């Protein structure tokens, strides 16, 4: 039986020399790999009491929605600025070169709701940190954060101290 790591395509020197790009599309392109990814992430939520799943654009949608469906939980999208049609809350965060803003609907999280955040990859942690701030501003409590892959050399967990963070695969380096 293959492990999830066997489905990840590693591309050396992309986007720049010395970087190994971990490609999630090779998991998505294989039905067994996709099922294993969803099941492995869902297993990390086995004993977690939660009300709603939040997923970040766009690969957090890919993994978060099937888990929400499987567990019969609502799904809340976190999107890039300007993509949501109703009243939103927004949070800016820093990128390597500049900044970005993410948003979620203002009525998507109710006070006291226990929230799980799902994304495909943790690198620097900026997007998830911004998502946490929005969830908490709406009165939600982040009870778990689940990633398919983690690049530990970028120290994204440092931004998420105090939260229960889990990843299916952890790669050393960047």
């Amino acid at each position: 039986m293959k492990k999830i790591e066997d489905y990840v395509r590693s591309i050396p020197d992309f986007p720049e020399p010395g970087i190994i790009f971990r490609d999630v599309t090779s998991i998505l392109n294989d039905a067994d790999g996709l099922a294993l990814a969803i099941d492995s992430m869902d297993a990390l939520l086995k004993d977690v009491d939660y009300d709603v799943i939040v997923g970040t654009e766009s690969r957090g949608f890919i993994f978060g929605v099937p888990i929400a469906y499987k567990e019969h939980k609502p799904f809340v999208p976190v999107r890039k600025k300007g993509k949501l049609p109703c009243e939103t809350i927004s949070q800016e965060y820093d990128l390597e070169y500049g900044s970005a803003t993410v948003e979620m609907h203002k009525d998507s999280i109710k006070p006291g709701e226990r929230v799980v955040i799902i994304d495909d990859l943790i690198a620097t942690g900026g997007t998830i940190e911004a998502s946490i701030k929005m969830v908490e501003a709406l009165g939600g409590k982040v009870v778990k954060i689940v990633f398919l892959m983690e690049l530990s050399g970028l120290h994204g967990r440092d931004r998420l101290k105090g939260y229960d963070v889990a990843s299916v695969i952890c790669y050393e380096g960047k």
Side-chain angles (χ1 to χ4, degrees):
M1 176 171 250
K2 288 172 95 172
K3 298 183 302 185
I4 195 67
E5 294 92 325
D6 298 331
Y7 293 97
V8 178
R9 179 174 36 200
S10 296
I11 303 163
D13 299 321
F14 182 83
E16 59 187 54
I19 301 293
I20 300 174
F21 185 82
R22 307 298 180 174
D23 186 15
V24 73
T25 63
S26 54
I27 295 170
L28 303 176
N29 290 334
D30 187 294
D32 292 334
L34 179 58
L36 182 58
I38 299 296
D39 291 344
S40 297
M41 293 174 83
D42 189 38
L44 295 173
L45 297 172
K46 182 178 175 239
D47 296 318
V48 179
D49 183 23
Y50 64 100
D51 303 304
V52 62
I53 292 177
V54 167
T56 56
E57 187 171 352
S58 65
R59 292 178 304 257
F61 299 178
I62 292 170
F63 296 105
V65 167
I67 295 169
Y69 174 79
K70 244 176 115 168
E71 301 300 332
H72 198 70
K73 302 288 184 181
F75 179 83
V76 173
V78 170
R79 303 234 29 216
K80 294 173 184 157
K81 186 176 177 70
K83 300 290 184 180
L84 292 169
C86 296
E87 190 177 359
T88 60
I89 182 172
S90 64
Q91 183 67 48
E92 189 172 321
Y93 64 99
D94 291 329
L95 299 168
E96 189 174 353
Y97 303 105
S99 64
T101 302
V102 289
E103 297 179 323
M104 63 193 311
H105 281 138
K106 211 171 206 175
D107 62 356
S108 60
I109 302 292
K110 292 160 192 61
E113 282 190 313
R114 296 171 314 266
V115 177
V116 167
I117 300 177
I118 294 198
D119 205 355
D120 70 319
L121 175 76
I122 179 173
T124 63
T127 307
I128 298 302
E129 182 182 41
S131 299
I132 290 168
K133 287 178 180 177
M134 290 188 295
V135 166
E136 292 176 346
L138 293 174
K141 177 175 175 36
V142 175
V143 295
K144 184 94 174 187
I145 305 167
V146 175
F147 300 99
L148 180 61
M149 297 186 284
E150 178 175 352
L151 304 177
S152 65
L154 294 174
H155 308 288
R157 278 185 188 249
D158 293 350
R159 291 177 110 159
L160 308 178
K161 282 190 172 134
Y163 295 94
D164 184 0
V165 178
S167 56
V168 176
I169 308 168
C170 185
Y171 292 104
E172 302 299 320
K174 300 176 181 178

